[in-house]
Amino acid sequence: MMPGESLSEIPLIEQVRVINQRFRSCLSPLLLLCVFWFAACGSAPPDSDWRDPVDAWQSDDVGGEQDAVGSVVGDGWRSGPGAEAIVGPVITVATFNQHHLSDTICQSGQCGPNDFERKWSQAEFDARIAERAAAIDALNADIIFLQEVETQAVLDALNAALDDPYPVAILAETGYSASLDVAVLARGALVDSREYSELNDSTYRFSRRFLRVDLDIQGERVIAFSAHFKAKYQDQAGRRIAEAKTAHQIVTEVAANHDGALVILGGDLNDTPDSEPLMALTGDGLLKRVAEGMDILDVYTFVYQQRRQEIDHLLIAPTRGGRYVNESVHSLHDEGEWVGYGGSDHSALVGQFEMR
């Protein structure tokens, strides 16, 4: 321990060594045990405004596991090839920006060729729905994070057009005219859902609602967050960073309270892995971007000025309840093209996750 250094600034084992040196003559084994206990309590995550007192499920954990506060962060967040053995059921998860999947009604009153909103004819709408539905069918995913869907009615039309419609189809309506919103399609049973709009930085709000969906899939608990951060078009300095910091706080605190669940975040985050917003999400290791270390040719989701970019992401909060299946993540593009999928200007990003 260096001069001027406080006890809380050094590792726990070093704290114990220093305390033991100072009080060896009077420190009994029982008191030493108490020191360990109090030090461990001091490392528990603090309460915050994001931790809803009714957030804990009132029933026993799905699958019978007891939740524990405090997720395990380390190399064990991966399973499969080159990592831990797979022992639980595996599900497929995807994120797929729908690129202005709007309806036949002009809500804004401005629906010209160069306007933000486009009023589709019924035939055009039906064709777009059929094209997106075919692409989603091909994903064969258990959970799909969607972005840029205008209304719940549009989501319902898309779901109905699928070969095997999803029992869970939830859209988080932002509320302004012609808003393009996030949604989740999922297998299993819906347990709960909620939306977040406020950011820790009171200057901004989430540009689209941050959607949480709690699911029971094959008797296992899955908590899925769907996100669409502010686009760089007409950018607002700091807004994506504020969105990332708030999303990080929400997801990691939920994961700490539900350590028996698979906790995942997916969506169009409109920034690359080395950007400040993505570092705000992943820098402390409490959220892991599953495509880290992958070749960009395998996982890019958007092309800007003829440059491939990773701006759509899947992340996992390391918990006892779930693992990412190593090397399973990849992006899908329309056949013969390297831009977009299913008529969208984004590719779909797909990965597999083990539930425990």
Side-chain angles (χ1 to χ4, degrees):
M1 184 171 177
M2 300 298 294
E5 190 177 28
S6 69
L7 193 62
S8 63
E9 293 174 344
I10 62 176
L12 175 61
I13 189 66
E14 183 64 13
Q15 295 180 33
V16 174
R17 188 187 66 79
V18 171
I19 293 172
N20 192 39
Q21 286 181 341
R22 293 178 178 176
F23 304 105
R24 183 177 299 171
S25 60
C26 60
L27 191 62
S28 68
L30 179 60
L31 186 56
L32 181 60
L33 182 62
C34 292
V35 171
F36 272 106
W37 186 85
F38 281 113
C41 290
S43 64
D47 288 339
S48 80
D49 292 340
W50 292 121
R51 181 174 288 123
D52 191 326
V54 299
D55 189 42
W57 290 19
Q58 299 304 310
S59 60
D60 291 338
D61 277 4
V62 176
E65 288 186 322
Q66 181 65 37
D67 273 356
V69 176
S71 300
V72 177
V73 178
D75 295 335
W77 63 278
R78 304 174 193 258
S79 62
E84 294 187 354
I86 296 175
V87 297
V90 172
I91 60 172
T92 300
V93 179
T95 182
F96 182 22
N97 184 310
Q98 296 296 286
H99 185 47
H100 284 219
L101 191 59
S102 54
D103 57 21
T104 61
I105 302 168
C106 182
Q107 295 180 324
S108 65
Q110 296 178 317
C111 299
N114 298 318
D115 291 326
F116 173 76
E117 186 180 7
R118 171 73 184 271
K119 181 180 181 296
W120 302 102
S121 69
Q122 189 63 51
E124 289 172 322
F125 176 75
D126 292 344
R128 287 169 67 84
I129 288 292
E131 185 177 34
R132 298 293 194 279
I136 289 173
D137 281 333
L139 296 176
N140 194 27
D142 299 283
I143 300 173
I144 304 180
F145 301 107
L146 300 177
Q147 304 84 44
E148 298 197 17
V149 180
E150 185 177 13
T151 64
Q152 182 69 46
V154 172
L155 180 65
D156 291 342
L158 176 63
N159 195 33
L162 298 174
D163 289 342
D164 185 13
Y166 288 84
V168 178
I170 297 178
L171 179 133
E173 177 60 65
T174 305
Y176 62 82
S177 179
S179 63
L180 292 173
D181 304 307
V182 303
V184 170
L185 296 174
R187 306 287 181 212
L190 175 66
V191 176
D192 192 13
S193 68
R194 67 188 64 186
E195 303 170 12
Y196 303 86
S197 59
E198 301 297 329
L199 298 178
N200 292 342
D201 180 349
S202 59
T203 305
Y204 303 111
R205 295 164 65 90
F206 276 109
S207 51
R208 294 91 176 177
R209 297 293 179 90
F210 188 54
L211 174 62
R212 168 184 170 181
V213 178
D214 293 45
L215 301 161
D216 174 357
I217 300 179
Q218 300 179 45
E220 302 291 343
R221 179 187 295 189
V222 180
I223 303 176
F225 291 88
S226 185
H228 189 186
F229 290 173
K230 176 71 176 69
K232 290 186 177 180
Y233 175 71
Q234 296 181 340
D235 207 356
Q236 295 168 305
R239 188 168 189 177
R240 266 189 315 284
I241 297 173
E243 289 180 307
K245 288 180 177 179
T246 304
H248 176 277
Q249 182 176 356
I250 294 170
V251 177
T252 56
E253 290 191 359
V254 167
N257 280 333
H258 298 288
D259 193 49
L262 167 62
V263 181
I264 48 179
L265 184 161
D268 176 3
L269 306 187
N270 270 313
D271 233 324
T272 55
D274 58 349
S275 66
E276 190 172 354
L278 264 293
M279 292 307 299
L281 276 173
T282 63
D284 63 1
L286 296 180
L287 288 177
K288 295 285 190 179
R289 190 177 61 86
V290 301
E292 69 177 36
M294 298 288 292
D295 190 316
I296 192 170
L297 295 178
D298 296 324
V299 293
Y300 75 89
T301 59
F302 193 70
V303 176
Y304 178 70
Q305 295 181 344
Q306 298 186 331
R307 296 184 61 184
R308 296 175 175 89
Q309 295 184 330
E310 295 177 72
I311 64 172
D312 303 84
H313 302 275
L314 293 171
L315 300 97
I316 183 171
T319 64
R320 291 185 299 108
R323 303 286 187 273
Y324 158 64
V325 177
N326 198 28
E327 301 178 1
S328 66
V329 69
H330 61 282
S331 55
L332 290 179
H333 323 281
D334 288 331
E335 186 175 354
E337 296 202 20
W338 59 293
V339 180
Y341 176 68
S344 173
D345 59 346
H346 284 244
S347 304
L349 187 70
V350 186
Q352 292 185 315
F353 295 82
E354 176 196 4
M355 304 182 297
R356 291 187 170 185

